[in-house]
Amino acid sequence: MVNSKHPFIPYGKQTIDEQDIQEVVKALKSDFLTTGPIVDLFEQRIAEYVGAKYAVAFSNGTAALHGACFAAGIRDGDEVITTPMTFAASANCVLYVGGIPIFADIDPKTYNIDPKEIRRKITSKTKAIIPVDYTGQPVNLEEIIKIAEENNLVVIEDAAHAIGATYKGKKIGSIADMTMFSFHPVKHITTGEGGIITTNNKLYYDKLKQFRSHGITRDKTLLKEYHGPWYYEMQFLGYNYRMTDIQAALGTSQLNKLDMFIEKRRKIVKQYNDAFRILDEVTIPFQSRDSKSSWHLYVLQLETEKLCCDRKEMFEALQKVGIGVNVHYIPVHYQPYYQKLGYRNGEYPISEEVYSKIITLPLFPGMVNEDVEYIIRNVKDLITKYSLKSNG
Ligand SMILES: *Cc1c(COP(=O)(O)O)cnc(C)c1O
């Protein structure tokens, strides 16, 4: 559908170099292909990076969230509060274990889950909260953890967007009971597919390790019996959600570059902000003083009442000139599957209004200055063209 001569710029993309490729080749030549010493090393390196005691790698971020819900003890009929302004996986993981996702609306400035709304949604069945660090901007963890402590809830932070982000000077990944990171190629660092849970809690750690491998353990401190060196026990129904050493080799190599990737993202965001701040027709992303975003996504809000077009026209016009815009997210309760479960439109008005106005611009470390300038020029031109001000 791209008509322009300009090469298409996707909204997000991995950055893989020769060193990454060499590390994967080394893993392919090693004795292990699946979960072995490189997965152990990757887990250790991620735990160190975020400042957590433990990390358990999974085949993808969604499997990791499934594991976290299981480890948190969420079972049939338990309610778990999350945001509608997220990818479906943040709520689907609750359904996997028989729980009920309860959506709490977002804050109109940060687009993150609003702690006041969380309080409003708590019942005697509430078991956990799954806040999402939307676009890499950490949620109000202090308030959310306070609510969790008062109500005896587990906090599973969906930080798929937020590796390398900080909250009050502390890295995301060491603060909530469990934190999930994703290594899908559009995220900060990639393993192809992959995810991880970090935690400081040994009980969660043991459960997560067992869950990702059929519910099986060989750990003598956990076995009920011991028949000999071959002996293992399957103690509950787990899955095969293991990461391979091939993936972990890529992840370990990528992790060396994470801080540099984030710096590049921050630089591009600054260029975008400087260009768009002055336009009345758009609102640039909110930046909290409490935290430092890791900038997974750059989301611009269109002030549609000041424009003669809607978001769809703007979206299509940008696509036409080769700019891979996107929308993050279609609120989860809009999905036909959730509608069938009984979730209704109109119940989360802020998420719904924000959804109708947002547009995601390309943001990834491999973007060159010419890409950024090309995007800025086109967005500005379109805003001028569609502005009610310039059209009288
Ligand atoms: C990417 C993402 C996930 C899921 O991660 P996968 O590794 O793709 O399974 C979950 N939540 C959010 C908010 C995400 O962006």
Side-chain angles (χ1 to χ4, degrees), residues 60-62 86-87 89-90 132 158 160-161 180 182 184 187 194 329:
N60 57 69
T62 306
T86 186
F87 183 58
S90 318
V132 178
D158 179 338
H161 301 181
M180 184 280 286
S182 163
H184 179 279
K187 308 286 161 74
Y329 289 93

Side-chain angles (χ1 to χ4, degrees), residues 182-251:
S182 163
F183 307 118
H184 179 279
V186 297
K187 308 286 161 74
H188 292 79
I189 58 170
T190 190
T191 59
E193 293 280 357
I196 207 161
I197 300 289
T198 58
T199 183
N200 290 322
N201 184 315
K202 177 76 163 58
L203 292 174
Y204 292 149
Y205 171 73
D206 287 338
K207 276 268 183 314
L208 290 163
K209 278 201 97 156
Q210 215 170 326
F211 185 81
R212 83 164 171 200
S213 201
H214 311 279
I216 287 174
T217 186
R218 292 173 184 275
D219 182 339
K220 278 191 194 158
T221 64
L222 299 174
L223 294 175
K224 311 259 184 273
E225 296 176 28
Y226 184 71
H227 301 175
W230 65 87
Y231 188 71
Y232 60 81
E233 283 175 2
M234 180 190 143
Q235 296 176 329
F236 56 79
L237 186 63
Y239 294 77
N240 179 352
Y241 277 167
R242 293 186 301 260
M243 179 181 273
T244 66
D245 262 22
I246 308 167
Q247 292 168 300
L250 179 56

Side-chain angles (χ1 to χ4, degrees), residues 39-54:
V39 169
D40 290 341
L41 176 70
F42 182 53
E43 290 174 339
Q44 195 189 321
R45 292 276 317 278
I46 291 280
E48 269 166 26
Y49 180 84
V50 304
K53 278 200 189 126
Y54 310 102

Side-chain angles (χ1 to χ4, degrees), residues 14-26 190 246 249-257 261:
Q14 72 278 12
T15 303
I16 303 284
D17 65 12
E18 197 50 42
Q19 196 184 9
D20 294 327
I21 294 167
Q22 288 314 314
E23 290 302 319
V24 171
V25 170
K26 257 200 268 171
T190 190
I246 308 167
L250 179 56
T252 309
S253 178
Q254 287 259 297
L255 184 57
N256 295 331
K257 284 161 280 204
F261 289 162

